Amino acid sequence: MDELPIGRRVAYWRGRRKMSQQVFADRLGKSKSWVDKVERGVRRLDKFSVLYEIADILQVDVQLLLGRDPERRTDALNCIDQVEVQEIRAALERYDSISAYFDAAPCPPPLDDMRKAVNHAWLTYQYARYGVLTRALPKLLRDAQAADAAYRGDQAAIAAHLLGQVYQIASSVLRKLGENELAWLAADRALAVCQRAGDPLLAGIATTRVGSALLALGRARPALELNVNIAQRLAPSTSADLRPEQLSVYGMLLLQSAMAAARLGDSATVNDLLDGADEAAELLGADDNHYWTCFGPTNVLLHRVAAAVELGEGGRAVEADGKIVQDNFNALLPERRAHHLLDLARGFAQVGDLANAGETLLKGDRLAPSEIRCRPIAHEVMSDVLRRTRGAPPSPIAELAEHMGVGI
């Protein structure tokens, strides 16, 4: 962003605020032609009074427009800013279903269109394009809520299923970006809606989102109890329960339970839960993405690394990473791989291997920049690497730290 001309920065933030040139011009009291010339660099912005007015309309710090943001906050990193957080919050605070109980709901979007939009949102998340996703979420939430409020009969269950997925997507990306209270709200909404959808597996995977949000809020004990409780209910007991979808959801419940147990420092329970997930993965037979879980043998190994890191056992985490088959790892989607590289970087830092910690962050950034640049935990790791490195860090690490907005 800092390297762009000021007109391009204006155009960028106007686009993020979903304003047309005409709407922006009207609010500024200028012509559309004036705005177009500014954004193309044909006309200079040399009056501070106009700059401050533009910044006020776009709801950004004027320093962002000038390319002088000293703190390099996440809103300068194409992640999410507080305006977008508030838009998502407003969408989560809607209660279309109860309004539709008293009044006829407005014409909802077609369910086929909604299904395509939801699938695209899942892929956007799993490719770690968090900035793109958070800007699309408010409309997606409103559309899914409208559909859930309007459709009746057999279509009602489909609409509830789609809304439950949208809430889960929202919870997942909000937690990644450190908006943990909102992530909990979205996950809680997902769980309630998924029960109406009549799909126990959808409710099961929604439970993992609630558990993850609780864990992010420091509530490891209820996260563990919730996930274990639902895992027991979905545990395979007959041959009919060995469907890939059920094994995947059951396995993810065990993995999330293991992460909660690791936060509590209960290594024995962690090992039991990971072993149970490993058995489910062996029954599944391969890595897959049923219910958007990415569950399989490789994901279990990734969680062994993550759990070891949570337990503070960096050496064991690095050792576990060595058991991952590289071809299987490369076949996973970018979010899962970059998330693992962040966990591994934490493990290297725990054992004092700062060079590998920094190099692993670089690998994650090359794979999925948002996973490294937008997540608070990644900022903590980079800050730790910089603080403990003797002398100046290697230039690639220093450059990444600058992009992340992290200083010593």
Side-chain angles (χ1 to χ4, degrees), residues 102-126:
F102 296 100
D103 304 298
C107 183
L111 289 178
D112 282 345
D113 291 350
M114 277 300 310
R115 187 179 290 106
K116 291 175 184 176
V118 172
N119 287 341
H120 182 265
W122 274 121
L123 286 172
T124 303
Y125 173 76
Q126 293 193 322

Side-chain angles (χ1 to χ4, degrees), residues 28 119 161 164 177 195 224 232 235 272-273 293 297 317 325 328 376 407:
L28 196 57
N119 287 341
H161 203 286
L177 300 175
Q195 293 176 57
L224 172 61
Q232 289 174 342
D272 287 344
L273 291 165
T293 58
V325 177
N328 295 343

Side-chain angles (χ1 to χ4, degrees), residues 6-15 17-39 45 50-60 65:
I6 189 169
R8 290 281 301 279
R9 289 196 289 273
V10 170
Y12 169 79
W13 285 105
R14 176 182 61 76
R17 298 296 178 247
K18 300 180 178 64
M19 289 187 203
S20 66
Q21 284 188 336
Q22 186 62 63
V23 169
F24 181 50
D26 291 344
R27 294 187 184 182
L28 196 57
K30 303 285 187 180
S31 68
K32 180 181 176 183
S33 173
W34 185 92
V35 170
D36 182 65
K37 288 178 181 178
V38 166
E39 293 184 349
L45 272 177
V50 176
L51 269 173
Y52 277 99
E53 190 173 0
I54 288 173
D56 184 57
I57 291 169
L58 296 177
Q59 296 179 272
V60 298
L65 297 181

Side-chain angles (χ1 to χ4, degrees), residues 358-359 361-362 365-366 382 393-403:
E359 183 59 34
L361 286 175
L362 285 171
D365 183 67
R366 287 192 289 267
M382 177 59 83
S395 57
I397 301 297
E399 184 178 347
L400 176 58
E402 182 185 356
H403 284 302

Side-chain angles (χ1 to χ4, degrees), residues 2-4 63 91 109 113 121 132-133 162 174 184 197 211 218 259 285 312 314 316 336 356:
D2 290 352
E3 297 172 0
L4 293 177
Q63 298 299 319
D113 291 350
V132 173
L133 181 56
L162 292 170
L174 286 166
W184 186 21
M259 295 308 300
R316 188 169 149 218
R336 195 84 284 281
N356 266 321

Side-chain angles (χ1 to χ4, degrees), residues 215 220 254-264 270 273-274 302-308 310 343 346:
L215 196 57
L254 293 180
L255 291 180
Q256 291 303 313
S257 300
M259 295 308 300
R263 186 71 61 86
L264 292 168
V270 169
L273 291 165
L274 288 173
L302 267 53
H303 277 78
R304 288 190 182 277
V305 173
E310 284 296 331
D343 287 333
R346 294 172 65 196

